[in-house]
Amino acid sequence: MDVSFLGGPGPQRGVGVVAPFDFALDRELWRWVPDEVSLRLTRTPYVPVEVSLDLARLVSEHETLTDAVRALSASEPEVVAYACTSGSFVGGLAGERAMCAAMTRAGEVAAVTTSGALLEALAELGAHRVALVTPYTESVTRALEDYLREAGAAVTGRAFLGLTRHIWKVPYRDVVDMARRAARGAADALFISCTNLATYDAIPQLEAELRMPVLSANQVTMWAALRMIGAEAVGPYQALLMNGAASAPDPQEGVT
């Protein structure tokens, strides 16, 4: 009889994740994670505000991030990811960089945000023209467009739902319909925004149909966080993951 399991579980590498209070897709994040890596999640405190630019600013305040990362530090993650697109693009490029710096100071580990990971993924794919899909209102969608333009990317098309709540309940068929509308222009890649929007199983279908790389908020967040510790995200038929992992930066680099 095989009793090798009696020795206990193997070593687990840790990725800390800070998510907004209304995040409902923990299971989706895990689908990109290899067996030897464990996610350690925490959430920002509840605030009675619907999805908007105001909420994005509230859930990304440095004090909120610092408290969350310090709570995660007890589990000794090797990297910390802030899993929120709007919260990490609302302050533009400078705001995103400041968030990473605040998290690194709080946890003494490398940090990444969803919006920062998006820019890394676009660079990895050599994509400069981006079609956008969001569940947001028009004002939040425009703020994402502004962020991408500041980073030097051209937005070729967009589609959005105008939602302010219950984003995690949007079915795949709505995501696919929006993607088809957004991708009518000449784009190098399509990005599906919001970590609270389910995308994992829609990505392969859309890449086959649209014939372009399809990125999503949760996908790029996990891909970037994992490669910072020298691990690779898992997922079938996803161009970003099949493109070949670039050399990962040292997780301790830049830690003070």
Side-chain angles (χ1 to χ4, degrees):
M1 183 175 65
D2 183 4
V3 293
S4 59
F5 69 90
L6 293 178
Q12 285 283 298
R13 309 186 69 186
V15 171
V17 179
V18 178
F21 63 87
D22 63 344
F23 181 70
L25 299 181
D26 303 57
R27 182 176 178 275
E28 173 156 296
L29 289 183
W30 278 96
R31 299 180 74 180
W32 277 286
V33 179
D35 288 343
E36 70 274 13
V37 175
S38 181
L39 296 183
R40 292 95 189 254
L41 280 93
T42 191
R43 283 166 168 75
T44 62
Y46 170 75
V47 289
V49 179
E50 293 184 326
V51 177
S52 61
L53 290 175
D54 287 339
L55 179 62
R57 295 183 184 100
L58 286 170
V59 297
S60 61
E61 291 178 343
H62 287 193
E63 183 178 355
T64 296
L65 294 177
T66 295
D67 290 345
V69 172
R70 284 177 178 162
L72 286 171
S73 295
S75 66
E76 300 181 348
E78 296 179 48
V79 63
V80 174
Y82 177 63
C84 179
T85 323
S86 60
S88 52
F89 68 62
V90 70
L93 295 181
E96 192 278 333
R97 288 192 291 266
M99 291 173 66
C100 287
M103 290 190 292
T104 293
R105 286 194 300 271
E108 298 186 348
V109 292
V112 65
T113 74
T114 298
S115 295
L118 168 60
L119 300 186
E120 289 183 36
L122 293 174
E124 178 77 4
L125 295 170
H128 304 285
R129 299 171 298 175
V130 186
L132 292 182
V133 167
T134 91
Y136 311 134
T137 62
E138 184 171 9
S139 62
V140 181
T141 302
R142 284 180 175 173
L144 173 55
E145 292 183 57
D146 292 342
Y147 174 82
L148 286 168
R149 290 193 180 105
E150 185 184 0
V155 177
T156 62
R158 65 172 183 171
F160 60 94
L161 287 175
L163 299 181
T164 59
R165 57 185 303 190
H166 294 162
I167 290 172
W168 69 90
K169 297 181 180 180
V170 174
Y172 280 144
R173 64 177 176 272
D174 291 354
V175 175
V176 170
D177 288 345
M178 283 194 294
R180 289 169 177 156
R181 297 198 304 273
R184 287 174 182 164
D188 301 318
L190 180 137
F191 175 58
I192 306 170
S193 191
C194 190
T195 55
N196 228 2
L197 187 65
T199 58
Y200 188 93
D201 293 308
I203 292 172
Q205 173 189 342
L206 285 170
E207 290 198 342
E209 179 180 334
L210 302 176
R211 298 184 181 277
M212 70 175 69
V214 174
L215 308 175
S216 79
N218 285 326
Q219 177 208 47
V220 298
T221 304
M222 289 296 95
W223 168 81
L226 288 164
R227 79 172 191 159
M228 291 182 84
I229 63 171
E232 294 184 13
V234 295
Y237 311 110
Q238 298 180 25
L240 177 64
L241 310 189
M242 298 167 65
N243 195 54
S247 298
D250 184 341
Q252 295 301 316
E253 192 172 303
V255 174
T256 56

